[in-house]
Amino acid sequence: MRLYSTVFLLLAQLNGVITQETAPEIKMPDVRRMEYISNQQVLLMCNAEGVPVPRYKWYKNGALIVSDSITQVDEVTGNLSIPSFTIREEGLYQCGAENTVSPGVTPLAVSPAINVIEVSLGANWPVIPVEDINKFEGAYAKLLCTDVPESGPKAQFRWFLESPDGAKKQVEETTRMHVDDQGTLHFIYLETSDQTGADLYKCAIYNNIIDTIQLGSPKSLTVTPVVSKPQVKPKAEYTTNPAIFLRTQTAELECVFSGYPLPTITWRKGGKIITASEKYQFDKNNRKLKVLKLVEEDEGIYTCFGQNSVSTVQIAIFLDVTSGPIWEQALSYQTIPTGRDAVFYCKSRAADGEDPINTPNWNINGNPINILSPPGSGKFQFSDRGRVLTVIGLQKPDDTQCFQCNVSNNIDYEFANGCLNVIDPIVITEHPPLQEIVKGDRVQLTVKATTDPGMTLRERWRFKNQTYDNNAPPHVIYNDVTKEAYIDTSGLTDAEFEAIIGVYYRDLYHQYDSYTVTISVALKGRGADVCEEHSLYPWIYSLSAAVVVLLFIVVFLIIRRPTFTCPSQQPSDAYLTPVAINMSHVVGGGEAGGNDGPYYTTILDVPTPKRC
């Protein structure tokens, strides 16, 4: 990183550009959640770019962390380390990066919070009596997983058969056996082979992060055989309820039907059959429907059908897609010339059908501000219910700073950071006046400008609808070092001399600013040609337009003229009415043209007809 910075500075000096001081821009961390096992070493990393090189600090639950034996912060590398993590260190961690761009001006950028939590599997399963379950062959049975210890994150459920000597065999899920998301083991219909005898069914919870499994909730199952299993229509035994899932995540909807013969399961939404696709996936013999990458439009009623030779049964599941604030326009990094205003947006919305988002909370360089009474004597102005911040009349370097906003609802929150860099504007220092020339004159086209020392000023020409990025228009002599530009007309032919008449545009620009200088070159005594085409064309267009208007008026009067009038009536004297015709759209693409009127046309004054 330091080698890269050195090379960058050297290249900037070779190109005559002075390094621009900039507020920090945090590139990392970019995660919202991290999980650690107790006593594990924790390392949170932060990285930011800026000039000068930023230094770092960390916050836990909004409070600045001071390095001690438990938590250490390296203000140079940006790393935060916890040698031995415990539940005491759980919390929301945010990185701050700051640098001093000028004496007394130290912008502070802040990262979104990382939720650091401990991975755990609760105390051993409590010792409880064995539950005896007695059923007939062909009947439905379910084994509930009860008294489940806490697990973070949520544990996965499995079932085992445990023999008296402690040997364990995992129960495999089949078309007839299903473990739902609450840990219940469903037998769609029982076979005599399902009974336990001396063995016990035990529920297991498994935490894949710490690779630990615990067994409990023992069950004994007795299955009484029958001569012939009775046919039973499907019955809904379990569905996902409530089915509330976060936007962008995957929803998992489950439905379990008992019955004999074994029911088959299909899914519909809005009357349409759901098939496997990029949006939908099926699992566990179609008993689980996965809706991927949830959007608000996925919300609605999903119908699960269980069908066998006896009957068809359906059950509806309402999928509620909820969400924290959804960004419409978040804070961004901006570089703006002095004297102008900067606008920062903290606009979010709620998911469809949910409560509105709370008013944003704002910070400047990590310090809270009251949007009803902001600091700065009018410097900072809030609008749109506190969702828009305008910084008035930027000054360099004092207004180089960072802003943070936080929006929340009862589901989640969103955080954004945006920094403001203020630079010197493009200023024109030399600009030639209108050039009225005769052949033999030297046409002066020199334009000179200054800009911020950290910016590279670029230039281009435009003339007669042509853009010249890497060269100058015909017959223009241009010195890229001195920026002198001119046309020596003494050696031009008459046709070449006529061709240089027109409007020249000099665009001066860089990534954050632009300025266009217009230079008119005209024949002396004739005025500047404002069109990029031949000067005769506007008159042709104007005359054509006037004729069209005249014909329109005549046709209009003929249509309105009554069929019967008294023979004695005669038209009165004609009078002239001015008709303004704007021809600015004819040529030049908005760069030239104007009003070539008013034009005049004759309109007959026809009196109102009298009865004969």
Side-chain angles (χ1 to χ4, degrees):
M1 180 65 184
R2 295 185 182 277
L3 177 59
Y4 171 82
S5 300
T6 303
V7 172
F8 175 80
L9 293 173
L10 178 58
L11 290 174
Q13 293 171 358
L14 291 175
N15 284 277
V17 178
I18 299 175
T19 302
Q20 171 73 30
E21 289 82 5
T22 58
E25 182 174 1
I26 294 179
K27 301 295 185 179
M28 185 176 64
D30 55 2
V31 295
R32 295 285 295 268
R33 178 186 175 100
M34 298 185 75
E35 300 166 339
Y36 291 92
I37 302 171
S38 182
N39 299 320
Q40 182 182 4
Q41 182 180 6
V42 172
L43 179 63
L44 305 181
M45 295 186 290
C46 184
N47 178 262
E49 297 176 355
V51 180
V53 176
R55 300 182 76 82
Y56 301 92
K57 56 180 68 176
W58 279 86
Y59 302 85
K60 178 187 175 185
N61 297 330
L64 181 66
I65 296 175
V66 178
S67 292
D68 55 22
S69 59
I70 297 173
T71 308
Q72 291 95 43
V73 175
D74 190 323
E75 65 176 15
V76 175
T77 65
N79 292 343
L80 177 146
S81 59
I82 302 172
S84 182
F85 183 78
T86 66
I87 193 170
R88 174 187 56 194
E89 281 73 60
E90 282 191 332
L92 297 175
Y93 289 79
Q94 288 177 281
C95 170
E98 65 180 5
N99 59 7
T100 300
V101 299
S102 182
V105 181
T106 305
L108 171 69
V110 181
S111 74
I114 307 171
N115 188 12
V116 179
I117 62 174
E118 181 188 24
V119 176
S120 62
L121 192 61
N124 289 334
W125 218 301
V127 177
I128 58 176
V130 175
E131 180 183 357
D132 294 319
I133 300 171
N134 297 282
K135 295 283 184 177
F136 286 99
E137 182 183 6
Y140 164 78
K142 64 180 179 181
L143 309 185
L144 297 177
C145 189
T146 57
D147 302 304
V148 180
E150 291 291 332
S151 174
K154 183 180 177 180
Q156 301 173 25
F157 291 99
R158 300 175 182 175
W159 280 82
F160 286 80
L161 270 172
E162 186 178 75
S163 62
D165 62 3
K168 301 173 182 64
K169 178 183 178 182
Q170 185 173 343
V171 177
E172 300 293 338
E173 293 186 69
T174 66
T175 57
R176 197 175 54 83
M177 302 168 69
H178 175 84
V179 178
D180 68 34
D181 285 341
Q182 301 303 314
T184 300
L185 172 60
H186 299 266
F187 295 88
I188 308 305
Y189 62 86
L190 286 168
E191 299 281 8
T192 55
S193 59
D194 296 326
Q195 71 178 6
T196 54
D199 297 340
L200 293 176
Y201 284 103
K202 282 191 175 181
C203 181
I205 54 173
Y206 174 67
N207 188 311
N208 63 334
I209 297 179
I210 57 179
D211 195 24
T212 299
I213 191 168
Q214 290 188 20
L215 276 68
S217 190
K219 315 289 182 185
S220 172
L221 177 61
T222 301
V223 181
T224 302
V226 296
V227 175
S228 176
K229 290 192 285 287
Q231 292 194 345
V232 180
K233 74 175 185 179
K235 178 184 177 183
E237 301 290 355
Y238 173 80
T239 60
T240 304
N241 184 31
I244 303 175
F245 294 89
L246 288 174
R247 176 178 162 272
T248 75
Q249 294 185 346
T250 295
E252 296 188 354
L253 308 180
E254 276 188 294
C255 70
V256 177
F257 289 96
S258 62
Y260 182 81
L262 183 75
T264 59
I265 294 177
T266 56
W267 292 81
R268 291 175 182 260
K269 183 183 183 220
K272 295 182 179 180
I273 295 177
I274 298 174
T275 57
S277 64
E278 292 183 356
K279 187 65 180 178
Y280 300 109
Q281 291 181 0
F282 296 99
D283 193 13
K284 297 190 174 185
N285 301 291
N286 278 19
R287 294 188 183 100
K288 177 176 286 189
L289 169 66
K290 295 181 179 181
V291 187
L292 310 179
K293 298 178 181 178
L294 285 175
V295 295
E296 292 161 272
E297 291 75 18
D298 293 325
E299 184 170 284
I301 295 176
Y302 292 73
T303 306
C304 181
F305 293 82
Q307 181 180 17
N308 65 9
S309 57
V310 180
S311 182
T312 299
V313 177
Q314 67 184 57
I315 187 167
I317 302 174
F318 179 75
L319 172 58
D320 182 1
V321 179
T322 189
S323 175
I326 302 169
W327 280 122
E328 293 179 316
Q329 197 169 4
L331 272 67
S332 61
Y333 281 74
Q334 301 186 46
T335 300
I336 300 179
T338 60
R340 303 179 193 176
D341 299 340
V343 182
F344 290 89
Y345 298 94
C346 186
K347 291 187 175 184
S348 64
R349 65 173 179 86
D352 291 343
E354 298 193 354
D355 294 336
I357 302 300
N358 297 328
T359 301
N361 294 317
W362 287 83
N363 287 34
I364 298 179
N365 295 326
N367 298 311
I369 57 175
N370 184 351
I371 65 174
L372 300 178
S373 181
S377 301
K379 185 74 173 180
F380 306 106
Q381 298 183 6
F382 288 92
S383 59
D384 192 12
R385 307 186 308 279
R387 305 196 308 163
V388 179
L389 165 62
T390 303
V391 186
I392 304 296
L394 300 180
Q395 298 297 318
K396 179 185 177 181
D398 295 350
D399 290 326
T400 299
Q401 52 199 315
C402 296
F403 303 91
Q404 298 84 35
C405 82
N406 185 88
V407 288
S408 63
N409 62 6
N410 60 339
I411 303 298
D412 203 355
Y413 81 99
E414 288 292 340
F415 176 89
N417 179 91
C419 293
L420 173 61
N421 295 307
V422 184
I423 62 173
D424 294 327
I426 295 175
V427 177
I428 305 301
T429 58
E430 185 174 335
H431 174 203
L434 168 66
Q435 306 281 297
E436 292 190 336
I437 63 171
V438 296
K439 190 174 180 182
D441 287 347
R442 180 182 174 121
V443 182
Q444 182 57 254
L445 301 175
T446 300
V447 175
K448 295 183 179 181
T450 61
T451 190
D452 193 274
M455 300 293 115
T456 299
L457 191 62
R458 303 182 183 277
E459 303 175 357
R460 67 171 164 254
W461 296 78
R462 288 181 289 128
F463 180 63
K464 292 189 175 180
N465 296 328
Q466 295 293 320
T467 300
Y468 302 86
D469 286 307
N470 300 315
N471 55 356
H475 311 298
V476 174
I477 300 171
Y478 178 63
N479 188 316
D480 190 48
V481 177
T482 65
K483 307 302 179 184
E484 298 287 338
Y486 64 92
I487 300 175
D488 184 356
T489 66
S490 61
L492 301 181
T493 65
D494 290 345
E496 291 172 337
F497 178 73
E498 185 70 22
I500 69 169
I501 303 302
V503 180
Y504 293 79
Y505 298 93
R506 293 291 304 280
D507 298 325
L508 300 101
Y509 64 97
H510 54 68
Q511 184 178 357
Y512 304 110
D513 198 10
S514 64
Y515 198 105
T516 296
V517 175
T518 302
I519 309 167
S520 296
V521 177
L523 293 176
K524 185 171 291 186
R526 196 172 79 178
D529 283 335
V530 295
C531 294
E532 295 295 287
E533 305 295 336
H534 197 280
S535 59
L536 179 60
Y537 290 173
W539 295 101
I540 296 174
Y541 297 153
S542 301
L543 181 59
S544 300
V547 171
V548 171
V549 172
L550 179 59
L551 289 174
F552 176 83
I553 294 172
V554 171
V555 172
F556 177 78
L557 292 176
I558 291 173
I559 293 173
R560 290 196 58 189
R561 187 179 182 89
T563 305
F564 300 100
T565 59
C566 295
S568 60
Q569 288 180 313
Q570 299 294 330
S572 64
D573 294 336
Y575 64 92
L576 295 177
T577 298
V579 179
I581 302 174
N582 189 328
M583 298 299 295
S584 62
H585 67 286
V586 176
V587 292
E591 299 175 354
N595 291 329
D596 293 314
Y599 294 88
Y600 293 85
T601 186
T602 302
I603 301 178
L604 297 179
D605 183 9
V606 182
T608 304
K610 299 179 181 178
R611 292 184 181 275
C612 298

